Amino acid sequence: MKSESPALVAVIGAGPGGIGAAMMLRKAGIDDVVIFERSDEVGGSWHVNDYPGIGVDVPAFTYQYSFAKNPNWSRLFPKGAEVLRYHQQVARDGGLYDHIRFGTNIVREKWDANTHMWVLTTTSGETFTARFVINAIGAYINPKADPGIAGYNTFAGKILRPVGWDHTYDLKNKRVGIVGTGASSVQITPAIGGECSKLVVFQRTPVWCLPKPDATFGPVLARLFRHPSAQSTVSTGALWLIEIATHALVYTPPVVAQPVIRLLDRAAQVAYRIYLRAVVDDEATRKALMPHYGALGKRPTLSNEFLQAFNRDEVELVSTAIESIDHTGINTADGSHYDLDALVLATGYELFSDPEAYRVGTVVGENGFDLAEFYNAQGLQAYQSVAVHGLPNRWTLIGPYSWTGTGWHFMVETAATHAIRAIREAERRRTTRVEVTLEAMNAYHQLIRRRGRNIDFYFRTLNKGIRTYYVNSHGDTPYIRPSTVLEAQRDANSYPLGDYTWQQLPTNSSPTTEKATRT
């Protein structure tokens, strides 16, 4: 089934990335925008995830758009419902709801070289066309349906997941098992621990769980954060701290940086061991909770309740490997069996940095170029994390080597700035096809690999062998961008226009190509 007339820009996803990109497009005077959202509401992860205890793990002033600061946060680390309301309000105030097609899941993007348009196909077979595409599906693409444990689908009890949590299920007097100790489990465990008759947490790898400096905003702090300059001052200070730390990590010669990194990891382990002794009563539990890797080897978490939950009589930590799941519960490698009424599968997501997350045939560009085939064969790469040669008129907000240590909103705005600059330039030149050159993409990727030497040392040498989403199945580290905050921002605003080709599709002749002067 064919859709209505083509849009100038299609944004795929109405989570924090899609909302931010659409808002910035409209602020740039580009109103011919359609947003495709597979769910029934904006918010992305904050809409589909509503598990007990959900909240941000960074301060509120770093988790918002620079152009839409919220003066009414209720606490330093807001809970999920408040974060969702914030994004809904931004979308509402920006008039985005009129541009969104809810319940529309784009499953295929195909470039049409004859029209210089993208043809977008939905799960129902409906097609839409757009001149430019901004992919804003985010970092956490899909929850892992299969936890990788034999027999999980034979379990006869209730299965709960962080996505689409069933709040009608009563946990009172239930025996519950949680598989995983990542970010969601760290929030779920203390939130439900007091409800269950028994809560068994199955840990594969101990997680670093640091104190969370959270607090509600009383009258004084609330008044302070309503002041126009207060949040800007605090967030600017935080960005400068990240800037200094990242600059040191990226630009310090490996011969100097690597011994320091090793020393810092050892010091952190000593300090964390002392912290565990202070907050966890049982010695055996403390030993099991102690990570054997560095503080940043896996995503560190923040909580004032997770570790303390293991002091409760009804909460048990099991660090023996899971062998299988059957209809009554979990079997571990030491021969133990745990009878359960409910099972929480907090086993993670398919990430933007995983080559396996990209399916063949989903994104097909010039001359049959397939993004999944390219990433699986050549490794994840993109010019300034957003553009791939072979995919004209298309940018990704959260792409390879994109995280700069900041909040997601800063990353989204940086990537959207890059894409919008190219779109506006194409409109100014009256061209219909914009593509990053292969030379520019390769040169950028080589630069990233050189700058990432200390990051690679940390994950692939110092903390080699741990299961972490910072290292993908290729052994690469495309999650982290070895670039400072200001460098990323500057690059998005001033990349050489000569790194792209600009082409017009004539009415009755073959396309003409213009190579911009390098600026």
Side-chain angles (χ1 to χ4, degrees):
M1 184 169 114
K2 191 81 172 175
S3 71
E4 67 271 12
S5 59
L8 179 63
V9 184
V11 177
I12 302 177
I19 294 170
M23 288 289 292
M24 292 174 67
L25 283 162
R26 301 202 70 194
K27 288 177 182 293
I30 302 171
D31 291 319
D32 186 3
V33 178
V34 61
I35 308 165
F36 297 103
E37 171 53 49
R38 61 185 177 182
S39 188
D40 59 358
E41 181 55 274
V42 304
S45 293
W46 297 105
H47 171 56
V48 299
N49 286 277
D50 63 343
Y51 56 80
I54 186 173
V56 295
D57 53 6
V58 294
F61 59 81
T62 68
Y63 202 81
Q64 58 186 349
Y65 304 107
S66 64
F67 53 81
K69 288 183 167 56
N70 180 12
N72 299 309
W73 291 115
S74 67
R75 61 189 309 122
L76 187 57
F77 290 80
K79 296 297 184 181
E82 186 175 9
V83 176
L84 175 60
R85 287 196 300 271
Y86 165 74
H87 289 93
Q88 291 171 331
Q89 191 63 51
V90 171
R92 192 174 296 112
D93 292 345
L96 298 188
Y97 277 87
D98 293 338
H99 293 257
I100 302 174
R101 281 184 161 273
F102 290 110
T104 306
N105 186 17
I106 302 297
V107 294
R108 180 175 170 84
E109 306 167 43
K110 192 173 189 307
W111 173 251
D112 185 347
N114 295 318
T115 61
H116 286 184
M117 304 286 282
W118 280 96
V119 179
L120 310 176
T121 305
T122 71
T123 48
S124 65
E126 190 174 9
T127 61
F128 298 87
T129 55
R131 177 72 68 203
F132 304 103
V133 169
I134 295 179
N135 184 286
I137 62 174
Y140 305 99
I141 300 173
N142 291 301
K144 292 180 180 177
D146 185 346
I149 304 171
Y152 83 96
N153 54 355
T154 67
F155 181 63
K158 178 70 174 180
I159 291 183
L160 296 164
R161 299 176 184 270
V163 172
W165 187 276
D166 184 358
H167 291 275
T168 65
Y169 183 75
D170 188 2
L171 293 170
K172 188 176 180 181
N173 298 323
K174 298 292 196 308
R175 300 163 299 175
V176 181
I178 299 183
V179 179
T181 53
S184 56
S185 178
V186 164
Q187 295 181 335
I188 294 170
T189 295
I192 69 173
E195 297 182 46
C196 314
S197 61
K198 183 68 176 179
L199 179 62
V200 186
V201 180
F202 295 89
Q203 171 185 270
R204 181 168 55 187
T205 305
V207 64
W208 285 76
C209 185
L210 308 175
K212 190 173 189 177
D214 195 11
T216 56
F217 288 157
V220 175
L221 281 177
R223 193 177 306 114
L224 174 65
F225 266 75
R226 288 192 190 103
H227 194 278
S229 63
Q231 290 194 45
S232 295
T233 300
V234 177
S235 58
T236 299
L239 282 176
W240 271 107
L241 288 175
I242 295 170
E243 175 77 8
I244 293 168
T246 308
H247 191 279
L249 176 63
V250 172
Y251 291 107
T252 302
V255 68
V256 176
Q258 293 176 7
V260 173
I261 292 170
R262 192 184 298 272
L263 180 63
L264 289 174
D265 252 10
R266 288 175 180 171
Q269 287 177 323
V270 170
Y272 193 66
R273 191 171 283 109
I274 295 171
Y275 175 62
L276 283 174
R277 193 175 299 124
V279 298
V280 179
D281 297 337
D282 181 67
E283 183 178 356
T285 303
R286 286 200 303 269
K287 185 176 180 181
L289 287 168
M290 180 65 204
H292 61 277
Y293 58 92
L296 301 178
K298 292 174 69 74
R299 178 184 177 183
T301 60
L302 298 177
S303 176
N304 300 322
E305 302 172 304
F306 175 70
L307 298 174
Q308 294 83 344
F310 295 103
N311 295 328
R312 298 174 179 169
D313 292 337
E314 72 275 11
V315 180
E316 179 182 357
L317 177 69
V318 175
S319 55
T320 306
I322 296 175
E323 189 172 79
S324 64
I325 298 174
D326 60 28
H327 69 287
T328 62
I330 288 181
N331 305 300
T332 54
D334 61 0
S336 299
H337 178 80
Y338 296 84
D339 287 321
L340 302 170
D341 300 302
L343 187 59
V344 179
L345 296 178
T347 49
Y349 288 79
E350 296 177 343
L351 295 176
F352 75 99
S353 52
D354 294 330
E356 297 81 9
Y358 301 86
R359 274 44 167 201
V360 172
T362 301
V363 180
V364 181
E366 190 76 59
N367 298 320
F369 174 90
D370 191 294
L371 183 64
E373 291 179 350
F374 174 67
Y375 277 170
N376 279 277
Q378 303 295 327
L380 271 70
Q381 52 188 289
Y383 176 68
Q384 292 192 13
S385 305
V386 295
V388 175
H389 178 76
L391 302 178
N393 294 13
R394 185 185 186 274
W395 298 269
T396 300
L397 294 189
I398 305 295
Y401 301 94
S402 57
W403 185 55
T404 54
T406 57
W408 291 106
H409 295 72
F410 181 90
M411 294 166 52
V412 163
E413 291 184 38
T414 299
T417 295
H418 182 121
I420 291 169
R421 182 170 180 242
I423 293 171
R424 292 187 68 183
E425 182 65 16
E427 291 289 281
R428 186 186 72 81
R429 294 169 182 255
R430 298 183 180 179
T431 52
T432 55
R433 183 183 183 280
V434 182
E435 182 183 23
V436 68
T437 68
L438 181 61
E439 295 80 10
M441 187 176 77
N442 287 342
Y444 181 79
H445 189 59
Q446 290 168 10
L447 173 66
I448 286 295
R449 297 306 295 263
R450 288 197 305 272
R451 284 182 177 176
R453 291 174 299 176
N454 292 331
I455 294 172
D456 283 351
F457 165 77
Y458 187 81
F459 290 106
R460 299 169 65 181
T461 300
L462 185 59
N463 291 289
K464 182 179 180 180
I466 65 168
R467 295 176 64 94
T468 173
Y469 62 50
Y470 294 133
V471 180
N472 67 17
S473 60
H474 287 180
D476 294 331
T477 56
Y479 194 100
I480 303 170
R481 182 172 181 167
S483 168
T484 72
V485 173
L486 295 181
E487 283 175 334
Q489 197 172 55
R490 180 200 65 206
D491 290 347
N493 281 290
S494 61
Y495 56 85
L497 296 178
D499 285 352
Y500 280 91
T501 56
W502 312 82
Q503 191 177 72
Q504 173 65 41
L505 183 67
T507 305
N508 296 312
S509 62
S510 60
T512 59
T513 302
E514 175 188 357
K515 182 73 181 292
T517 303
R518 186 172 289 271
T519 60

